[in-house]
Amino acid sequence: MIDQLRQLEDLKAVAAARQAEIAVAFDLFQRREQAAAGVPADQLGVGVGAQVALARRESPSRGGRLLGLAKTLTGMPRTFAAFRSGRLNEWRTTLVVKETICLSLEDRAGVDEELAADTGAFDGAGDRTIISAVKAAAYRRDPASVARRAAKAVGARTVSLRPAPDTMARLTALLPVAEGVAAYAALIREAGTLRSSGDGRSAGQIMADTLVERITGTPGGISGVQVQLVMTDRTLLQGDSEPARLAGYGIVPAAWARELAAGHQPGRGTATCAANRANSATGVGAPGAGGARRNLAGTSINKEPGANPESAMAVWVRRLYTAPGTGELIGIDSKARLFPGGLKRFLHIRDDTCRTPYCDAPIRHYDHITPWHHGGKTTTENGQGLCEACNHTKESPGWSAATAPNPGARHTVTLRSPTGHAYHSTAPPLPGNRSSKLPTYIPQPAALPGAGADQERRRRPNLPLRQKLGRRARTPVPRTSGPKAAAVGIPEAKRNSVEVLGRAGPTPAV
């Protein structure tokens, strides 16, 4: 079995190396076709990386990196040979290429010859060892290029957010080393000071809390920024266990979402401030035109005496309704050329992330699937959320998209690449839709003796917990059921399907 594992690992490397060879050949073929079609020289090769990504079921950004790796390896024959033979896997081959990308073709070939990876020079070496060896060889060849690369890297500083398990997120800052070390040292110093004065939190907890407080200017860091939750009315008001969806993050547990809706910091069990508790108990809504806050029924509520308007949390519920049975959001349209604000919010809630297959980048552009200049309308049916790179790729020659005729199902788009290959993208299921639940395997009593009794025993202890959650959820937030929906003329079959809970502090004027 160990021999089989090694053979399969070598096979993976051989297959990846063959993919690289095909990608280079395909890039050359596409450039020739584009040149024959009259595409400007500086636009040749646009969209090739996206096609590679779709074929390999990768995100467009990774597809571009894989194509770049393949093209660079053509000038590094010994590294490429090590890749083909399995001495280097795809990741470690990428490390070698990455550390030589700043060199000229001649110097890169010289580093490739010096390292001689195909002779087994990196056998048994870890990632750090390989990076160090390649960096040293590159610096010996052209120290000026390596220095210029370091100086240029300062322009790539950025901040990114990625989901983490258990309703956590990773906020990452790419900074120049001096600034990064200084920021980290300041957080460590603050943690040491507070712990020495008796603070019971761990050093890591204090550093995280201090970072959020200093960036947002607010303890807890929630008021003053907008957080949007998508949940069913049953989850919000009746303690149902159907998960919610947090825009920009993904699926979150129902109990966590209710804590956030009630003005608490989820997982900590305390309200952010007294004003938050008062607002969540009365169902305070977003400020109206005159500055007064309104409850879920739309009536004005006077602010509590002594409440701090800067720290008060505005909470409101925006109702969106889904078609019965399909879970598809009911559409709205516009006569405008560009998508208006309400339609953008609709598309953002429906699509959640970029609609290009395998791309889960944040939505930056709101795109007409059938272009406006080809008669496409500004509607939810003809709209989709895309990241900036995917929107530019879609506008390249040879690409096309159309709404797939699929009555009774969620919104689906068919994307066609210049080679004629079709890829389908379906809007993610909303909370409460049956298709949003992952399939589960339930053992049958005949297959596992006593399984039915075990399941029954496991179900019994959960009943009091659900009742508690139902009572807790009904206490702070008033019910907004049939009468309100009937008042705005919503048919009974479409009521209480999906709710969007928005939550924000003071919103600056735009």
Side-chain angles (χ1 to χ4, degrees):
M1 287 187 286
I2 291 297
D3 290 340
Q4 290 179 26
L5 289 175
R6 169 55 64 87
Q7 291 166 5
L8 290 171
E9 188 64 27
D10 292 343
L11 180 60
K12 285 165 56 180
V14 170
R18 182 58 182 154
Q19 286 179 315
E21 293 173 343
I22 295 172
V24 171
F26 178 69
D27 177 70
L28 180 60
F29 168 76
Q30 286 278 284
R31 287 173 178 271
R32 288 174 177 170
E33 280 206 335
Q34 292 173 357
V39 176
D42 60 343
Q43 295 294 316
L44 294 179
V46 172
V48 176
Q51 294 184 71
V52 171
L54 288 168
R56 293 192 58 173
R57 298 175 181 170
E58 298 280 5
S59 68
S61 60
R62 176 155 173 78
R65 292 195 297 270
L66 289 170
L67 178 59
L69 167 69
K71 294 168 68 174
T72 304
L73 282 174
T74 59
M76 304 181 70
R78 305 198 70 168
T79 302
F80 209 168
F83 189 16
R84 290 193 192 95
S85 66
R87 288 187 179 275
L88 289 178
N89 59 22
E90 189 172 44
W91 170 245
R92 288 180 174 169
T93 303
T94 302
L95 295 179
V96 174
V97 170
K98 182 180 177 182
E99 297 303 328
T100 61
I101 202 67
C102 62
L103 302 178
S104 65
L105 293 176
E106 294 78 10
D107 287 334
R108 191 181 303 127
V111 170
D112 179 63
E113 186 65 31
E114 177 183 340
L115 296 176
D118 57 331
T119 64
F122 291 141
D123 287 357
D127 292 354
R128 290 187 179 183
T129 301
I130 293 175
I131 291 173
S132 298
V134 179
K135 275 185 174 180
Y139 190 79
R140 286 193 294 268
R141 288 280 171 177
D142 189 354
S145 292
V146 176
R148 283 195 300 269
R149 176 185 178 183
K152 186 179 179 181
V154 176
R157 60 190 184 278
T158 186
V159 176
S160 61
L161 182 71
R162 292 180 298 158
D166 304 322
T167 64
M168 302 292 282
R170 299 187 188 278
L171 178 67
T172 305
L174 180 63
L175 302 171
V177 63
E179 297 175 11
V181 170
Y184 189 72
L187 293 173
I188 290 180
R189 185 167 56 250
E190 179 70 8
T193 300
L194 292 179
R195 282 182 60 80
S196 64
S197 63
D199 195 310
R201 294 173 293 174
S202 68
Q205 291 172 340
I206 294 175
M207 292 168 68
D209 295 344
T210 302
L211 176 67
V212 172
E213 182 174 348
R214 291 186 179 180
I215 291 175
T216 64
T218 306
I222 298 178
S223 68
V225 296
Q226 184 174 353
V227 179
Q228 287 192 343
L229 286 170
V230 184
M231 67 173 75
T232 66
D233 57 342
R234 300 176 301 281
T235 296
L236 177 62
L237 302 174
Q238 299 177 6
D240 191 73
S241 60
E242 178 69 32
R245 190 175 78 191
L246 179 64
Y249 176 83
I251 297 299
V252 295
W256 186 96
R258 283 191 293 271
E259 278 196 72
L260 188 65
H264 294 70
Q265 295 183 11
R268 304 189 189 188
T270 57
T272 54
C273 62
N276 291 350
R277 290 193 295 269
N279 287 344
S280 61
T282 55
V284 174
R293 301 186 182 275
R294 298 179 180 275
N295 63 13
L296 298 176
T299 57
S300 177
I301 295 178
N302 294 327
K303 287 187 288 187
E304 182 181 348
N308 182 1
E310 296 299 325
S311 62
M313 193 82 71
V315 178
W316 72 94
V317 172
R318 179 185 298 121
R319 288 182 178 273
L320 297 179
Y321 293 92
T322 60
T326 67
E328 173 74 354
L329 281 176
I330 297 171
I332 57 177
D333 59 8
S334 171
K335 302 298 183 183
R337 161 67 179 85
L338 301 177
F339 288 94
L343 224 168
K344 287 181 179 179
R345 287 194 296 270
F346 184 97
L347 295 177
H348 204 118
I349 292 168
R350 185 195 69 190
D351 295 344
D352 195 34
T353 59
C354 177
R355 283 292 296 276
T356 300
Y358 313 115
C359 182
D360 55 3
I363 293 174
R364 292 288 181 262
H365 291 181
Y366 298 90
D367 171 65
H368 289 79
I369 298 170
T370 300
W372 173 269
H373 54 272
H374 289 164
K377 297 181 179 180
T378 306
T379 64
T380 55
E381 183 69 14
N382 192 48
Q384 63 176 345
L386 295 176
C387 67
E388 184 175 358
C390 289
N391 192 27
H392 291 321
T393 298
K394 176 179 170 288
E395 298 301 319
S396 302
W399 291 83
S400 65
T403 305
N406 197 3
R410 299 196 307 273
H411 186 263
T412 302
V413 177
T414 299
L415 178 68
R416 291 191 179 275
S417 67
T419 59
H421 290 83
Y423 303 90
H424 302 286
S425 167
T426 302
L430 291 164
N433 187 13
R434 289 178 179 270
S435 60
S436 67
K437 298 177 181 179
L438 295 176
T440 56
Y441 170 70
I442 301 177
Q444 300 298 319
L448 296 177
D454 290 342
Q455 291 172 10
E456 182 61 31
R457 282 194 295 271
R458 284 196 297 269
R459 277 197 294 266
R460 287 189 199 125
N462 290 335
L463 292 177
L465 176 60
R466 291 175 182 169
Q467 293 171 359
K468 289 180 182 179
L469 291 175
R471 289 196 296 269
R472 185 186 304 171
R474 286 193 291 270
T475 300
V477 184
R479 286 180 175 272
T480 57
S481 53
K484 176 170 171 56
V488 295
I490 298 172
E492 180 65 32
K494 296 178 181 178
R495 293 181 196 169
N496 300 329
S497 297
V498 174
E499 292 200 356
V500 179
L501 174 67
R503 167 185 163 95
T507 303
V510 179

